[in-house]
Every structure is written in structure tokens, then in C-alpha cells.
């Protein structure tokens, strides 16, 4: 259900140009997607009891194979010039980075997430301050980048540091999700909601105080030397393309969508945890919420599918539709996804992309445990 909400939120981020709905979901839906990726990785590698020995190796192989497939799918979708910043290539790299962390338990993962939420944005800011400005903001790599050394270098910089979802500042989301997946959250879902709400208040609240009480916003307005009125500067700060400018450290006080600042990472992680906790409370309503859960179960198919729909419509149809009826396209996509995912899930099970990922990665995992009767028996029982 939580993953379904994240997918529908990303629909809104890509189709609703402005307003309260766009503000609500922008950045936060993608962050929840990353947190849930961490939960999935933890569950794939043993849940509350991390796999050891050959079983851990099998889990690592499955996760690595999934990472490569997601990476390639992300490159293909971006190469098709879909009208969105595709997260999948970055997502795949995050999966790879998670593999060395599979032995860690919840406390170590949670502490690492908290530390990196503060440290990695500062590292990113310092490194980017000593680099030339990127040629393209909000950049996501495509297949063409891998036809030349210069393209590969640009893709590497974008994935790690300057792109739409730089893994340097997105790794805390993954670690927070892995920590949650190493626990049994049903036993403390109320506290999970409270912790999430507290983190959201800490991230967004402290950012607001720093900007509007302690003078951070006035300093940023002054950077533009009167070129933009304060209202326009607020709009600029509300939405970013993966990173904040490096002209002044005051930008690190913001918490706008896709800004990659400590306050945004903490706040968005808090929102994700609170939503997951609320979804755990809604488990008793599984029948009513089955279509939403089906979208979450077919998340990759629904995500790729909606991008292909947007690509098929083309800019000549998208622009007037989003301008005249800001929520119409989103409502159509949501209705179609809920209906199609529910029917597919009910009668066919896994979605087409999910089926492909599962069977390819499971086959590789079985190759690792083959020849070890104990490991094979345990793997089958799971």
C-alpha cells in the first residue's frame, strides 16, 4: 500500500504542474520509493535475521542482478525521451551500494542513515563548489552516454553527485528503509508514525525557522541582487533538480523538493516512515485497499507504463491538457493504474516487469545455493 501511494504520488509529480497536490508529493514520493527499496532489500536478505554464508551470497547476487536490470531499464526509458526525470538508473546503483551493507543490523543501519543524512549533503556541496557547473541540471543518463568516454564520465558525475537523484545524498533514504526492514514494524507501528512525524517536523520545521526567523531567506534573496522578487525566490527554492546551488551555504538551510539538503532528507524520510506506519494500521482494510496494494505490487510496471503513456501523448497534447485541466490526466492515470493493477494482480499475479525481475534474479540466486543442501532447503522454505 505504501509503495502504491508512492507510485501514485509520482504520477502527480509528473502530471500536476502546480498547486497543493504537486507540493505535497514532489520529492516526497520519490524519497518514499527509495525508503521502500531499502525495506525490500532487507527482506530479500533475511529480514530481521540477515542471511549469512552462501545464502547471503545468493541474496547479493539477486540484488545485483536486479540492480543491473533496473539500471538498463532506466537508461532505455530516458533514451525514449519520456517527459520526466527517470529514477530507475539511480535506483539500480543504490541497490548495488546496498550489497556490502547486507550484514548490518537495524541499529547500525539507522545510525549510518542519520549520520549520512547530515554529512553527505555537506560533502556534495563542498565537492560541487570546486567543480564546474554541470551542463544540464536534473540530468538523468541515457544509452547515448555510454557510447563515448566523455559521456560515461558525465553519466558517472550525474549518478553520484550532480544528477536528478544523486546517490551520494540518496543513500540515507535507502539505509533508513533497510533499518526498518531489519525490524518487525508491526510491533511498533504507532511509534513508527510518531517517529516519522517527529523527523518530518524536525526537517521541515527547523528549515523554516532557519530561513524565516534567523535570516536565511533574506540572505538568499540578497544573492539575486534584486533580479527576482521574494515570491519568485520562494518558488525557486520549493523545487530543485537534484541539488542546490553552491553560490552560498545558505542554500543548505532549505528543504525544497529534490534539494538534497540535510533538512529535506530528514523531513522526507520522516514522511515516508509515517506513511508506512499508517499503512500498517490499515492492514485490516486489505479488501477495500486491494487496488492500491496491487499498484504497489506492480510498482515497476505501473511506473514504466505511465511514463510510456506520457511519451505517447507527446508535448503537443500534454501541455494544453495540464494547463486547462491540471488534475485530469493524473486522475485518468490513477484510475487506469488501480483498475488494471487490481485485475492483473487478481488473475495473473506478478506484473510483467516484476515477473521478469523475479525469475531472472531467482535463477541466479539458485545457482549460488545449488550444491549446498542446507542452504537450498532453507531458501526453498522461504
Amino acid at each position: 500500500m505504501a509503495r502504491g501511494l508512492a507510485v501514485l504520488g509520482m504520477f502527480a509529480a509528473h502530471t500536476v504542474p502546480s498547486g497543493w497536490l504537486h507540493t505535497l508529493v514532489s520529492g516526497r514520493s520519490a524519497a518514499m520509493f527509495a525508503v521502500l527499496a531499502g525495506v525490500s532489500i532487507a527482506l530479500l536478505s533475511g529480514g530481521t535475521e540477515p542471511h549469512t554464508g552462501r545464502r547471503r551470497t545468493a541474496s547479493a547476487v539477486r540484488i545485483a542482478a536486479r540492480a543491473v536490470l533496473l539500471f538498463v531499464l532506466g537508461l532505455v526509458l530516458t533514451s525514449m525521451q519520456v517527459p520526466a526525470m527517470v529514477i530507475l538508473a539511480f535506483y539500480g546503483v543504490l541497490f548495488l551500494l546496498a550489497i556490502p551493507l547486507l550484514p548490518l543490523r537495524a541499529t547500525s543501519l539507522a545510525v549510518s542513515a542519520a549520520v549520512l543524512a547530515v554529512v553527505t549533503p555537506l560533502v556534495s556541496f563542498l565537492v560541487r563548489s570546486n567543480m564546474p557547473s554541470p551542463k544540464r541540471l536534473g540530468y538523468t543518463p541515457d544509452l547515448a552516454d555510454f557510447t563515448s568516454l566523455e559521456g560515461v564520465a558525465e553519466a558517472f558525475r550525474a549518478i553520484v553527485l550532480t544528477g536528478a537523484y544523486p546517490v551520494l545524498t540518496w543513500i540515507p533514504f535507502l539505509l533508513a528503509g533497510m533499518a526498518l526492514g531489519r525490524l518487525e514494524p508491526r510491533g511498533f507501528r504507532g511509534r513508527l508514525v510518531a517517529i516519522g512525524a517527529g523527523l518530518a517536523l524536525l526537517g521541515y520545521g527547523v528549515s523554516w525557522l532557519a530561513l524565516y526567523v534567523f535570516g536565511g531567506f533574506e540572505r538568499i534573496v540578497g544573492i539575486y541582487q534584486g533580479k527576482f522578487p521574494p515570491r519568485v525566490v520562494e518558488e525557486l527554492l520549493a523545487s530543485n533538480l537534484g541539488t542546490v546551488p553552491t553560490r552560498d551555504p545558505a542554500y543548505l538551510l532549505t528543504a525544497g523538493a529534490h534539494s538534497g539538503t540535510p533538512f529535506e532528507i530528514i523531513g522526507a524520510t520522516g514522511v515516508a516512515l509515517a506513511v508506512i506506519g499508517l499503512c500498517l494500521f490499515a492492514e485490516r482494510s486489505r479488501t477495500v485497499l486491494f487496488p492500491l496494494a496491487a499498484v504497489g505490487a506492480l510498482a515497476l510496471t505501473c511506473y514504466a507504463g505511465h511514463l510510456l503513456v506520457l511519451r505517447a501523448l507527446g508535448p503537443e497534447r500534454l501541455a494544453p491538457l495540464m494547463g486547462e485541466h491540471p488534475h485530469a490526466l493524473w486522475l485518468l492515470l490513477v484510475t487506469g493504474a488501480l483498475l488494471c493493477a487490481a485485475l492483473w494482480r487478481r488473475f495473473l499475479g506478478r506484473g510483467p516487469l516484476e515477473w521478469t525481475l523475479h525469475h531472472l534474479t531467482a535463477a541466479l540466486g539458485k545457482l549460488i545455493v545449488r550444491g549446498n543442501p542446507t542452504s537450498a532447503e532453507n531458501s526453498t522454505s522461504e
Side-chain angles (χ1 to χ4, degrees):
M1 287 186 285
R3 191 180 289 111
L5 288 173
V7 171
L8 300 184
M10 294 181 87
F11 286 7
H14 296 157
T15 61
V16 180
S18 60
W20 67 269
L21 181 58
H22 180 85
T23 301
L24 178 66
V25 303
S26 184
R28 298 182 184 93
S29 294
M32 187 156 70
F33 219 49
V35 171
L36 289 164
V39 175
S40 297
I41 288 170
L43 296 178
L44 281 170
S45 58
T48 57
E49 292 295 330
H51 289 161
T52 58
R54 184 165 288 201
R55 294 178 69 197
R56 180 187 297 163
T57 304
S59 299
V61 170
R62 292 185 64 186
I63 292 167
R66 186 166 297 201
V68 172
L69 293 171
L70 289 171
F71 185 81
V72 172
L73 180 59
L75 296 181
V76 170
L77 288 171
T78 302
S79 299
M80 295 176 66
Q81 298 183 338
V82 295
M85 298 187 302
V86 181
I87 194 174
L88 295 180
F90 301 86
Y91 206 56
V93 175
L94 285 172
F95 269 62
L96 286 177
L97 293 176
I99 292 174
L101 308 175
L102 295 181
L104 298 183
R105 293 187 174 271
T107 301
S108 299
L109 290 164
V111 171
S112 298
V115 172
L116 293 180
V118 176
V119 172
T120 56
L122 302 181
V123 171
S124 171
F125 188 89
L126 290 173
V127 173
R128 289 184 296 108
S129 297
N130 294 285
M131 289 175 56
S133 298
K135 297 178 181 179
R136 289 173 283 183
L137 296 175
Y139 180 62
T140 56
D142 59 22
L143 292 171
D145 287 324
F146 293 85
T147 60
S148 68
L149 290 177
E150 183 181 355
V152 170
E154 184 175 2
F156 178 80
R157 285 193 298 270
I159 289 170
V160 175
L161 198 63
T162 62
Y165 309 95
V167 298
L168 181 63
T169 50
W170 277 70
I171 192 69
F173 295 128
L174 191 81
L175 293 176
M178 289 181 68
L180 183 60
R182 289 281 182 246
L183 300 170
E184 178 43 68
R186 288 176 179 83
F188 61 95
R189 54 192 176 181
R191 281 178 289 166
L192 182 60
V193 174
I195 291 169
L199 287 174
L201 181 62
L202 175 66
Y204 296 120
V206 174
S207 172
W208 185 89
L209 288 174
L211 289 173
Y212 297 103
V213 175
F214 297 105
F217 180 69
E218 292 180 3
R219 177 165 177 153
I220 293 173
V221 170
I223 294 171
Y224 293 97
Q225 299 178 341
K227 294 179 181 178
F228 301 112
R231 179 180 58 82
V232 174
V233 175
E234 281 189 328
E235 293 176 357
L236 292 173
L237 297 179
S239 183
N240 299 267
L241 296 172
T243 57
V244 292
T246 57
R247 284 175 285 180
D248 193 288
Y251 283 104
L252 289 170
L253 301 176
T254 65
H258 299 292
S259 61
T261 67
F263 298 114
E264 193 235 350
I265 295 171
I266 293 169
T269 300
V271 171
L273 295 179
V275 170
I276 293 169
L278 291 172
C279 286
L280 289 172
F281 276 109
E283 279 189 305
R284 294 180 180 178
S285 305
R286 285 181 178 180
T287 302
V288 176
L289 296 175
F290 175 76
L292 177 62
V295 171
L298 277 70
L300 184 59
T301 296
C302 289
Y303 176 80
H306 100 279
L307 292 177
L308 294 178
V309 169
L310 297 182
R311 174 68 179 85
L313 288 172
E316 65 280 354
R317 294 189 186 93
L318 277 178
L321 181 60
M322 292 169 63
E324 296 172 13
H325 308 284
H327 296 89
L329 181 56
W330 177 70
L331 291 172
L332 287 172
L333 288 171
V334 168
T335 303
L338 291 171
L339 179 61
C340 294
L343 291 173
W344 189 290
R345 185 69 172 165
R346 177 68 70 187
F347 296 108
L348 297 173
R350 286 190 175 92
L353 292 180
E354 289 75 17
W355 185 93
T356 302
L357 274 179
H358 171 76
H359 284 280
L360 286 177
T361 58
L364 288 170
K366 288 178 180 178
L367 288 176
I368 300 301
V369 299
R370 183 176 296 170
N372 185 328
T374 303
S375 294
E377 182 180 349
N378 291 338
S379 179
T380 303
S381 69
E382 289 181 351

